[in-house]
Amino acid sequence: MKKSYAAFICFILITALPISALAHPGNTDANGGHYCWTDCERWGLKYGEYHYNNGDKSNGNTTTVKTGWQSIGGKWYYYSSGKVHKGWLADGNAWYYLDNNGVMQTGWKFIGGQWYYLDATGVMKTGWLYDQGWYYLNKSGEMAKGWVKDGGSWYYLSSSGLMKTGWLKDGGTWYYLTSNGSMKTGWVMDGGHWYYLDKSGAMKTGWLWNNAWYYLDFGGQMKTGWLQLGEDHYYLNQNGTMAQDTVVDGLIIGSDGKANKINSNLFNSIKSVANNYGFTVDYDKEIDTFVISNNDGIIALAYSGYIGGYSQYIDFIATAATKMGAPEPVNNILNFFDKVSNPENPRYYQHNNFGINYDRESSWVNMLWNN
């Protein structure tokens, strides 16, 4: 009877021992805990689970430590060695941000003076992001502002981070950004007007050489039609190119593009004859005179009611003179210089309102008449 009573007392004592006395054995780390790798099911643990063997005699409970991501009350937390993580977290190939309470953040967040965007899973975004407009987040996740080069093209992000399109003034210079935000160079049509952007994207004004001369006004618009700069007049064709060596509205346009207020009919008359001889005709604004030349140099000068040049070109001079309005027929003029028909070949010939002067020393022939 005494043996049975003693056995019963031993059973009661054993069952009354604290749970910690039966807790999973093993060495603990500096934090007082360790990982379970042996007979974990026996102790109600998972293999690899970190836990403490609580030696508190008041309750004797075995405490399991949370690790990694944990969803609590619909919010995500990250635990490391039982402690909730706060601030930036690198997990795998992604970055996350957890606030001062350890809650994983999503959406736009202003952190350390910079804006970041964390998607619905908490992952920090980089590169282009559309959120009611386009934004660019650099490699560190910071929202970009100002100029950004991506894929060989330049883009501009406003102070709010939004990608700009259309005209942009930056540092006193105008730029044009296409509908996809890329900076434009070269010719661009906008609002019915042509503009030109150089290699840096800057809008050009004034004279522009682009396989021809163009003029862009102070607003950058390509000019067409008549243009006055100081005392000079220019004509820009409908495609914007500057007119040269032609006649527009009765005004002669020189090779420099400047219009000369002279008789275009006179110019066309001389030029039609000069072309037959392969001569060139230019206008000297300073002396208000046409200059006819060939490869040897100047061969004749002409203006209204006058033409003069070397006698060896008398056939050209005579033909041009009649084209310019000289009343004498070409043959009469040529006969005057012909030693057969006019052996005396006098120095001066006058017939009504037409005269010819021949200077034998300079071999220069002058023809004058009244218009």
Side-chain angles (χ1 to χ4, degrees):
M1 182 65 179
K2 289 183 178 179
K3 291 183 178 180
S4 299
Y5 181 75
F8 176 74
I9 294 298
C10 289
F11 174 77
I12 294 298
L13 290 174
I14 291 172
T15 57
L17 287 174
I19 296 175
S20 58
L22 301 175
H24 171 61
N27 296 327
T28 60
D29 58 20
N31 296 320
H34 63 174
Y35 293 93
C36 179
W37 299 110
T38 306
D39 295 332
C40 299
E41 298 91 342
R42 176 183 175 187
W43 308 106
L45 301 172
K46 297 179 181 178
Y47 281 90
E49 183 175 347
Y50 188 91
H51 66 283
Y52 292 99
N53 290 336
N54 193 335
D56 186 356
K57 295 181 179 180
S58 61
N59 52 41
N61 291 329
T62 299
T63 304
T64 300
V65 177
K66 294 182 176 67
T67 60
W69 288 105
Q70 301 289 328
S71 178
I72 303 172
K75 298 178 181 179
W76 283 98
Y77 300 80
Y78 188 89
Y79 287 85
S80 177
S81 298
K83 296 181 180 180
V84 66
H85 187 91
K86 300 175 183 179
W88 286 108
L89 168 70
D91 184 35
N93 295 322
W95 281 92
Y96 303 81
Y97 187 80
L98 302 104
D99 67 11
N100 291 333
N101 296 317
V103 177
M104 184 192 77
Q105 299 295 291
T106 61
W108 286 107
K109 295 298 170 184
F110 192 68
I111 306 167
Q114 300 291 336
W115 283 100
Y116 300 82
Y117 189 86
L118 306 134
D119 68 17
T121 67
V123 174
M124 182 191 77
K125 295 287 290 181
T126 61
W128 289 106
L129 165 73
Y130 187 81
D131 183 35
Q132 297 181 341
W134 284 102
Y135 297 81
Y136 188 83
L137 307 159
N138 60 29
K139 292 180 179 180
S140 64
E142 297 175 357
M143 183 188 75
K145 301 174 185 178
W147 290 105
V148 169
K149 190 174 186 180
D150 181 59
S153 297
W154 284 97
Y155 301 82
Y156 190 87
L157 294 310
S158 69
S159 58
S160 67
L162 272 172
M163 183 190 77
K164 295 282 289 182
T165 61
W167 287 107
L168 165 73
K169 190 175 185 180
D170 181 45
T173 301
W174 284 99
Y175 301 85
Y176 188 82
L177 306 159
T178 64
S179 58
N180 68 3
S182 60
M183 183 189 76
K184 181 72 174 173
T185 60
W187 289 107
V188 60
M189 167 69 79
D190 182 62
H193 297 283
W194 283 102
Y195 301 81
Y196 189 85
L197 299 311
D198 66 16
K199 291 181 180 180
S200 72
M203 183 190 78
K204 296 288 290 180
T205 60
W207 286 109
L208 166 71
W209 173 256
N210 185 240
N211 298 320
W213 283 106
Y214 300 82
Y215 190 83
L216 307 157
D217 67 17
F218 69 92
Q221 294 179 2
M222 184 190 77
K223 291 287 290 181
T224 60
W226 284 107
L227 168 70
Q228 182 176 357
L229 297 175
E231 296 182 355
D232 296 318
H233 291 77
Y234 302 83
Y235 187 82
L236 293 312
N237 298 310
Q238 289 304 303
N239 64 358
T241 57
M242 183 186 75
Q244 295 173 278
D245 298 320
T246 187
V247 177
V248 179
D249 296 338
L251 297 179
I252 297 172
I253 310 295
S255 58
D256 60 358
K258 295 179 180 179
N260 304 296
K261 295 182 179 180
I262 55 178
N263 189 329
S264 60
N265 291 328
L266 181 63
F267 173 78
N268 289 334
S269 297
I270 296 175
K271 192 170 184 178
S272 65
V273 178
N275 287 341
N276 292 333
Y277 287 83
F279 301 157
T280 58
V281 181
D282 292 303
Y283 178 72
D284 190 328
K285 187 176 181 180
E286 298 299 322
I287 59 176
D288 191 26
T289 300
F290 296 109
V291 179
I292 302 98
S293 60
N294 62 11
N295 294 333
D296 297 327
I298 297 174
I299 60 174
L301 301 174
Y303 54 84
S304 183
Y306 168 87
I307 185 167
Y310 292 111
S311 59
Q312 63 262 40
Y313 301 109
I314 189 60
D315 55 340
F316 162 75
I317 296 171
T319 305
T322 56
K323 279 274 189 178
M324 291 167 62
E328 197 75 6
V330 173
N331 287 337
N332 287 3
I333 298 173
L334 295 177
N335 287 335
F336 171 77
F337 292 96
D338 184 17
K339 293 182 179 180
V340 176
S341 60
N342 187 8
E344 295 183 3
N345 198 7
R347 298 172 66 113
Y348 185 75
Y349 168 77
Q350 179 69 44
H351 178 73
N352 295 330
N353 59 349
F354 177 75
I356 299 175
N357 181 54
Y358 173 49
D359 185 341
R360 289 175 178 166
E361 293 180 1
S362 65
S363 189
W364 190 266
V365 176
N366 300 313
M367 301 182 188
L368 301 94
W369 63 94
N370 296 325
N371 288 330

